Amino acid sequence: QKEVEQNSGPLSVPEGAIASLNCTYSDRGSQSFFWYRQYSGKSPELIMFIYSNGDKEDGRFTAQLNKASQYVSLLIRDSQPSDSATYLCAVYQGGKLIFGQGTELSVKP
Amino acid sequence: DTGVSQDPRHKITKRGQNVTFRCDPISEHNRLYWYRQTLGQGPEFLTYFQNEAQLEKSRLLSDRFSAERPKGSFSTLEIQRTEQGDSAMYLCASSSRGQGKLGEQYFGPGTRLTVT
C-alpha cells in the first residue's frame, strides 16, 4: 500500500462545475496535509493546507479532512479552464512531505 | 520574498559525468529540501537541512548523491557518475521555522536533468 494515494485521472469536468479530488493516506498519526497544483512543465505550487478535521475554505477551494477515515479531499468550485493541472496531495511526516502521484484535472470550456 | 531559485534550469549531460545543482531558499526560511520528480509521479523526498545540518537522507539515495548547505543559506546537490536513471526534475523547497509551518514548503522552479 502506498503511503499517499490519489486517483491518477484524468478527471474531466465542464467549466463552472465542481471538481472533487480525493486522497487517502496510510499513517494514522499524520497531522498536516497539503494540496499542491502543478502545471505541465512547472514546479508544484502550494494552494491549500489543513490540519484539523472538517472543512477549510479559501476562495473557490475547499479542503476537507477526515482523520478517522484517513481521507483528504479538495473541492474546486466554479472550475475554470485555468484550473487544468495536476493536483498533488501531500502529507507531512517526520520532517518531509510524502506526495501522492497526483490527479490530472481537465476543465473543458 | 523573491521565492526559491534554482540554477541551472536545464542540464544535459553524458552518462558518467558529474553534475551540481544550486538552490537558494526564501531568505528567512531555515529548512531546505531536495526532491526528485519523474514523469507522472509526485515528488520524491531526497534530503533536507535545518540551517547547515543535514537531518535526513532518503534510503533511496545512492552514494553517488551528495548535498551540502555549508553556511545555512544556499544548498548544492551533486550527482557523481550520472546514469540515465538519474534523468528527472530536481526540485528544491524551503520552509519557515515557525511551529506548524514546517510542512508549508515552497518550491523553486526545478532543474531538469537529462542524462544521455
Side-chain angles (χ1 to χ4, degrees), chain B residues 72-84:
Chain B
S73 56
F74 73 92
S75 175
T76 58
L77 177 68
E78 181 183 19
I79 309 174
Q80 296 181 329
R81 303 181 303 281
T82 53
E83 302 173 355
Q84 287 188 322

Side-chain angles (χ1 to χ4, degrees), chain A residues 59-80:
Chain A
R60 295 187 296 111
F61 298 100
T62 298
Q64 299 175 317
L65 173 61
N66 184 325
K67 290 185 178 180
S69 300
Q70 295 174 242
Y71 179 91
V72 191
S73 64
L74 179 70
L75 301 179
I76 306 175
R77 289 182 300 282
D78 188 25
S79 295
Q80 301 297 309

Side-chain angles (χ1 to χ4, degrees), chain A residues 2 8 32 34 36 38 41-46 49 51 86 88 92-102, chain B residues 9 31 33 35 37 40-45 48 56 89 91 100-110 112:
Chain A
K2 291 184 178 179
S8 58
S32 307
F34 303 85
Y36 285 81
Q38 187 172 28
K42 303 296 185 182
S43 63
E45 174 192 7
L46 180 62
F49 54 87
Y51 304 139
T86 295
L88 296 160
Y92 184 69
Q93 280 183 12
K96 58 189 178 288
L97 290 176
I98 307 298
F99 285 86
Q101 73 269 37
Chain B
R9 298 288 303 276
R31 284 202 175 184
Y33 310 81
Y35 292 84
Q37 187 176 25
Q41 301 298 316
E44 176 184 48
F45 170 77
Y48 83 98
E56 186 175 346
M89 175 79 86
L91 294 163
K101 290 188 176 293
L102 295 177
E104 295 174 34
Q105 298 178 17
Y106 297 88
F107 284 84
R112 182 166 296 283

Side-chain angles (χ1 to χ4, degrees), chain B residues 20-114:
Chain B
T20 299
F21 309 142
R22 174 178 171 128
C23 171
D24 287 86
I26 293 171
S27 58
E28 65 268 26
H29 286 182
N30 71 328
R31 284 202 175 184
L32 184 150
Y33 310 81
W34 286 99
Y35 292 84
R36 177 174 62 190
Q37 187 176 25
T38 54
L39 196 62
Q41 301 298 316
E44 176 184 48
F45 170 77
L46 295 179
T47 188
Y48 83 98
F49 295 83
Q50 179 165 293
N51 299 315
E52 65 274 11
Q54 187 173 19
L55 296 188
E56 186 175 346
K57 185 176 177 180
S58 169
R59 288 171 293 175
L60 301 175
L61 218 55
S62 77
D63 291 342
R64 297 184 297 105
F65 288 72
S66 63
E68 294 183 340
R69 195 182 183 198
K71 298 182 179 179
S73 56
F74 73 92
S75 175
T76 58
L77 177 68
E78 181 183 19
I79 309 174
Q80 296 181 329
R81 303 181 303 281
T82 53
E83 302 173 355
Q84 287 188 322
D86 297 332
S87 295
M89 175 79 86
Y90 289 83
L91 294 163
C92 177
S94 67
S95 68
S96 170
R97 65 179 69 242
Q99 186 66 26
K101 290 188 176 293
L102 295 177
E104 295 174 34
Q105 298 178 17
Y106 297 88
F107 284 84
T111 295
R112 182 166 296 283
L113 173 66
T114 302

